[in-house]
């Protein structure tokens, strides 16, 4: 005989937990905050996800799945390559400077907070970066083929350089949360392509 069926929606719980972890990080997210936000008791949370860490991993994977979908849609639209890259960076700036939440990128903070001690976070992050890198590599190859982007280095190398600049821009938004400053930085990145 199997156990009693779950009486909650896994995705809704994961999204609620994601909100807590995104706002407070893993260490700063209390069990009580997770219980209050998800509406489940501690026993139900732990039975469903094994532990706070198991729930965190599920939330991080979900966050990254949503993020890669949005970023891929931006980058795979028709139009000039630089316009799509600009739109991606503007999307990141808008999230990072959100006047209500100002949370930045959960994926980046997960790596900063947990990568040295949590191999699962490292693995989740590697998959995410590899997926975004591939979308960017395809876009850079397209831009090089059309003559819009320089061809002095391979598309993968150029995509990785851009990826580094993009992540740097996102982190910079935490210490310099000024839109004009970040837009100037964005324009410098695009000019270097």
């Amino acid at each position: 005989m199997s156990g009693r069926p779950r009486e909650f929606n896994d995705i809704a719980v994961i999204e609620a937990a994601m909100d807590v972890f995104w706002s407070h990080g893993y260490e700063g997210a209390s069990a009580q905050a997770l219980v209050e936000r998800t509406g489940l008791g501690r026993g139900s949370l732990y039975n469903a996800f094994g532990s706070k860490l198991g729930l965190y991993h599920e939330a991080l994977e979900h966050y990254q799945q949503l993020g890669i979908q949005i970023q891929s849609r931006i980058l795979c639209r028709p139009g000039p390559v630089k316009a799509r890259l600009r739109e991606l960076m503007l999307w990141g700036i808008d999230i990072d400077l959100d006047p209500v939440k100002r949370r930045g990128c959960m994926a980046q903070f997960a790596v900063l907070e947990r990568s040295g001690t949590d191999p699962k976070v490292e693995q989740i992050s590697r998959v995410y970066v590899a997926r975004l890198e591939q979308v960017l590599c395809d876009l850079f190859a397209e831009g090089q083929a059309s003559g819009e982007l320089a061809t002095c280095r391979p598309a993968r190398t150029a995509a990785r350089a851009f990826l580094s600049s993009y992540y740097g821009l996102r982190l910079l938004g935490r210490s310099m949360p000024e839109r004009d400053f970040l837009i100037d930085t964005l324009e410098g990145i695009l000019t270097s392509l």
Side-chain angles (χ1 to χ4, degrees), residues 32-50:
Q32 186 59 38
L34 290 166
V35 164
E36 289 172 6
R37 184 71 175 90
T38 63
L40 296 179
R42 286 182 197 208
S44 294
L45 275 176
Y46 291 132
N47 285 337
F49 300 99

Side-chain angles (χ1 to χ4, degrees), residues 11-184:
I11 296 299
V13 169
I14 290 169
E15 287 183 350
M18 181 182 78
D19 191 54
V20 174
F21 289 126
W22 192 358
S23 295
H24 303 288
Y26 176 75
E27 296 297 334
S30 69
Q32 186 59 38
L34 290 166
V35 164
E36 289 172 6
R37 184 71 175 90
T38 63
L40 296 179
R42 286 182 197 208
S44 294
L45 275 176
Y46 291 132
N47 285 337
F49 300 99
S51 64
K52 175 184 169 184
L53 188 58
L55 179 57
Y56 178 72
H57 292 152
E58 293 270 351
L60 180 59
E61 285 180 319
H62 184 70
Y63 172 87
Q64 291 186 343
Q65 182 63 34
L66 295 173
I68 201 70
Q69 288 172 357
I70 293 167
Q71 292 171 94
S72 293
R73 273 197 304 271
I74 291 168
L75 294 171
C76 294
R77 290 180 181 151
V81 169
K82 284 188 178 182
R84 289 182 265 168
L85 293 170
R86 175 181 276 112
E87 188 177 348
L88 175 70
M89 290 187 286
L90 286 172
W91 170 81
I93 289 169
D94 289 344
I95 288 173
D96 295 343
L97 298 183
D98 179 294
V100 176
K101 296 185 178 177
R102 291 242 12 251
R103 298 189 289 194
C105 176
M106 181 181 170
Q108 284 184 322
F109 298 128
V111 170
L112 293 173
E113 181 184 29
R114 307 263 329 143
S115 69
T117 59
D118 189 335
K120 180 73 173 173
V121 166
E122 289 180 10
Q123 184 252 334
I124 293 167
S125 297
R126 284 178 184 270
V127 168
Y128 175 73
V129 170
R131 291 177 68 195
L132 183 55
E133 177 192 44
Q134 188 57 57
V135 174
L136 285 167
C137 188
D138 293 344
L139 183 63
F140 272 77
E142 177 187 330
Q144 289 177 341
S146 71
E148 187 179 350
L149 299 180
T151 58
C152 55
R153 43 189 178 162
R156 183 163 308 280
T157 302
R160 286 177 173 172
F162 175 82
L163 189 59
S164 175
S165 296
Y166 174 57
Y167 283 150
L169 177 69
R170 301 290 306 272
L171 284 175
L172 192 58
R174 300 297 289 175
S175 60
M176 290 296 292
E178 299 169 14
R179 188 171 185 80
D180 289 343
F181 179 90
L182 296 172
I183 297 296
D184 283 347

